[in-house]
Amino acid sequence: MTSVSEMNEIFVFIVVVLRGSGYMTRLREEDVLYIAESLKEYDKQLVKNVGKSLAGIAAHAIGRTEKEIYDLHHATSVAIIPVTCGEGIINGFSGSVQKIIEHLGFTAFVTGHKDVGGLAEAVKKGAKVIFLADDDHFVAINISTGRVVVDNGEATGKGYAAALDLMSGGLREREVLLLGAGPVGTGAAAFMSGHGARVFVYDVELEKAENLKKTVPGVQIVRDFYEALPEYKLLFDATPAPEIIVKEYVREDTMISAPGIPLGLSQGCLPLMADRLIHDALEIGVAAMLFEALSN
Ligand code: PYL
């Protein structure tokens, strides 16, 4: 007889496999359509719920102050290059990245040309940092220093972990349940462990969790997802599995940092988590990438 816990395990596994093993979910036009117009309101929410703005979270992610970043780099020009390979251009993606970077106070433009022509245009127009994404990687490249930042690695993970550090009042000596040991989860684990948190990782593919345990000191493995879920006040969801966190499993003081797309919370959970959830489609990741690319 299959136990409830085993059934849940199978459900989570099926969901993750169906959505791909979490390397990177491809955004859709509807995921990015409203980013530009809601940026100001979103940033106000971050200040209210996390305690810092988008710029403050990104600066915290790289261990710098906002002043250090702006004093050094306020004149930086950033180019975003639309890339047509693979499944092609996502309407609104480049424009949303541009608006996020402008919201952070930097000059940004989307190149008129795509692909190779866009790269040539970006350099000719004096861009210091270029952003571009194909179906597998979203990168920020600092042309002056040669620094390359890949979003689905430490930048996005660090950005969301920095936000959880701020929202929770500090991760030192705190326990965090990390769901997903892919590139974003690994970046987050490194930041959280480095800030004194005790990170417990679950991944539907045990080998990934074991690899993370080898990569990041102090990380421990959790084997039963639903048994663990109610045990932790701080959750980090770096999986593409939708609706795996249902309201029966969250406490009134649970805090969730969730870069994973689609969001892992069930609809029933959202009202409970309104001001204790960190989630967006691009904003924190882009801000963390830019500040990482600017920092030497
Ligand atoms: C960077 C995002 C965050 C989550 N998933 C990632 C994704 O959707 N990657 C694909 C991006 C393709 C962009 C397309 C364009 O419009 O330039 N090549």
Side-chain angles (χ1 to χ4, degrees), residues 62 66 80 120 128 136 173 229 254:
I62 60 166
E66 291 173 67
I80 300 97
K128 180 175 177 185
D136 302 311
E173 300 304 318
L229 209 49
T254 301

Side-chain angles (χ1 to χ4, degrees), residues 23-28 80-85 87-94 115 132-138 151-152 156 259 261 281-282 289:
Y23 188 60
M24 192 161 68
T25 308
R26 180 177 168 85
L27 290 173
R28 302 158 307 178
I80 300 97
I81 305 168
V83 173
T84 61
C85 67
E87 293 190 46
I89 283 176
I90 300 173
N91 281 340
F93 176 80
S94 293
D115 306 321
L132 64 168
D134 62 15
D135 294 347
D136 302 311
H137 294 94
F138 177 29
D151 88 291
N152 45 26
T156 297
I261 293 175
L282 270 177
M289 287 171 73

Side-chain angles (χ1 to χ4, degrees), residues 11-13 15-17 19-25 156-157 160 177-186 188 200-205 208 212 225-226 229 235-245 256-265 278-280:
F11 166 73
V12 172
F13 181 79
V15 166
V16 174
V17 167
R19 303 259 341 161
S21 58
Y23 188 60
M24 192 161 68
T25 308
T156 297
Y160 274 84
L177 177 61
L178 167 62
L179 307 176
V184 176
T186 302
F200 295 80
V201 62
Y202 170 83
D203 194 294
V204 69
E205 295 172 62
K208 277 191 172 182
L212 176 55
F225 174 80
Y226 284 99
L229 209 49
L235 304 180
F236 194 101
D237 177 12
T239 75
E243 310 227 350
I244 49 170
I245 301 174
I256 304 181
S257 188
I261 293 175
L263 179 60
L265 269 67
I278 303 157
H279 176 74
D280 63 43

Side-chain angles (χ1 to χ4, degrees), residues 215-285:
T215 318
V216 179
V219 168
Q220 296 179 56
I221 292 175
V222 161
R223 291 174 188 273
D224 187 314
F225 174 80
Y226 284 99
E227 195 176 278
L229 209 49
E231 301 302 312
Y232 294 85
K233 176 179 170 184
L234 302 178
L235 304 180
F236 194 101
D237 177 12
T239 75
E243 310 227 350
I244 49 170
I245 301 174
V246 293
K247 66 176 187 305
E248 290 74 16
Y249 288 101
V250 296
R251 312 178 340 187
E252 70 290 341
D253 55 359
T254 301
M255 292 181 176
I256 304 181
S257 188
I261 293 175
L263 179 60
L265 269 67
S266 70
Q267 287 305 316
C269 237
L270 287 174
L272 285 174
M273 293 301 305
D275 56 358
R276 290 176 284 116
L277 166 67
I278 303 157
H279 176 74
D280 63 43
L282 270 177
E283 296 90 327
I284 290 176

Side-chain angles (χ1 to χ4, degrees), residues 110-124:
V110 177
T111 57
H113 295 86
K114 301 175 180 61
D115 306 321
V116 176
L119 179 58
E121 181 184 338
V123 175
K124 274 185 201 158

